[in-house]
Amino acid sequence: MERKDRKRKERREGGEREKKEEEVPKTFREGMASRDENMKQTSRVLRISQLDALELNKALEQLVWSQFTQCFHGFKPGLLARFEPEVKAFLWLFLWRFTIYSKNATVGQSVLNIQYNNDFSPNLRYQPPSKNQKLWYAVCTIGGKWLEERCYDLFRNRHIASFRKAKQCVNLVVGLLKLGRLINFLIFLQRGKFATLTERLLGIRSVFCRPQNVREVGFEYMNRELLWHGFAEFLIFLLPLVNIQKLKGKLSSWCIPLTGAPSSDSTLATSGRQCSLCGEWPTMPHTIGCEHVFCYYCVKSSFLFDVSFACPKCGTEVHSLQPLKSGIEMTEVNAL
């Protein structure tokens, strides 16, 4: 009996172990499946990131072309105008060779940690674009730009009937392509895949090179910028309401003690060596009722700008704008 009981216990323990061993792979598979789903969700590139990559590519092309044209700055003007489409195609082909062909990503995508993936591949893992896809990408992008520019130069000054028909056909094709780009862009805004028509036709999709971590955004810098922006807007609103010139005159009148009213014309002569506003020798010297002398244009423009204009030296308001006497002016010149 004891032996039978032992055998029953061993059988029960063996069955429990088998159940546990079966449960462990199930939980492991479920964890791996959830992890794969998370990876698929995190590997999806945002629409704004794809559009930013396109803008970076355009900025790079403009920068490369401007740097290249500066090399021919000292040569004859218009030297590159005749072969400009071919030169541009050569430069873009050079960039394509060391970006998409070798690294499966443009310069803008490399900056944003994005690269192209072969969407036609049945494999769920990352699959780089095939060689044919890369070559067709160069044909559609570089060759298309070159053909468009060269056809424009070819049909620009041609007025033959045959060229007119060809020009109409080319314009029709260009219009259809622009319509296709518009439709593709609307679909891209809805689904978030294939930012350009070339990517959709070739089946290459933007994915992240490495899984993206959760971003921790700090709002301290943003709060500081908002604070300074609000303070700057307040100053822009307040400064036009403040009469800076009058405030400056008040401060100067408080800092410099008043010397009293002029007693004779000699005081005018001693203080008439420079304009109280610009500090230079007074041109067409005038007075406003105090002992200080001003250029006519300085005091007139200040008075037109501010009706309550006052002397910045003593704070005397403008009573009457009077020219300085010629005799005093000549005695001042002789004294110097």
Side-chain angles (χ1 to χ4, degrees), residues 150-165:
R150 183 50 67 190
C151 288
Y152 175 77
D153 294 337
L154 182 63
F155 300 137
R156 181 172 53 184
N157 298 322
R158 305 285 183 174
H159 301 286
I160 307 175
S162 59
F163 282 99
R164 289 179 183 177
K165 294 180 180 179

Side-chain angles (χ1 to χ4, degrees), residues 45-58 112 114 185 188-189 195-196 206:
V45 183
L46 299 177
R47 297 173 179 84
I48 188 64
S49 299
Q50 300 182 49
L51 296 177
D52 287 341
L54 295 176
E55 292 298 326
L56 288 173
N57 295 333
K58 294 179 182 178
L112 298 175
I114 302 173
F185 185 73
F188 165 74
L189 293 179
T196 61
S206 298

Side-chain angles (χ1 to χ4, degrees), residues 3 8 66 75 81-82 95 104 110-111 113 138 159 171 218 225 255 259 308 322:
R3 291 180 180 178
R8 289 177 182 175
S66 63
F75 291 84
R82 185 177 179 182
L95 291 176
N104 303 321
S110 300
V111 173
N113 189 27
H159 301 286
N171 291 334
E225 289 295 323
C255 297
T259 58
S308 60
Q322 298 177 356

Side-chain angles (χ1 to χ4, degrees), residues 61 64 85-102 134-143 145-146:
E61 291 179 357
V64 171
E86 286 75 17
V87 175
K88 283 186 177 181
F90 177 77
L91 291 176
W92 308 157
L93 188 64
F94 181 80
L95 291 176
W96 168 84
R97 173 60 182 82
F98 293 99
T99 54
I100 296 178
Y101 188 81
S102 59
K134 296 176 182 178
L135 293 174
W136 277 110
Y137 183 89
V139 171
C140 295
T141 55
I142 303 173
K145 292 179 181 178
W146 172 81

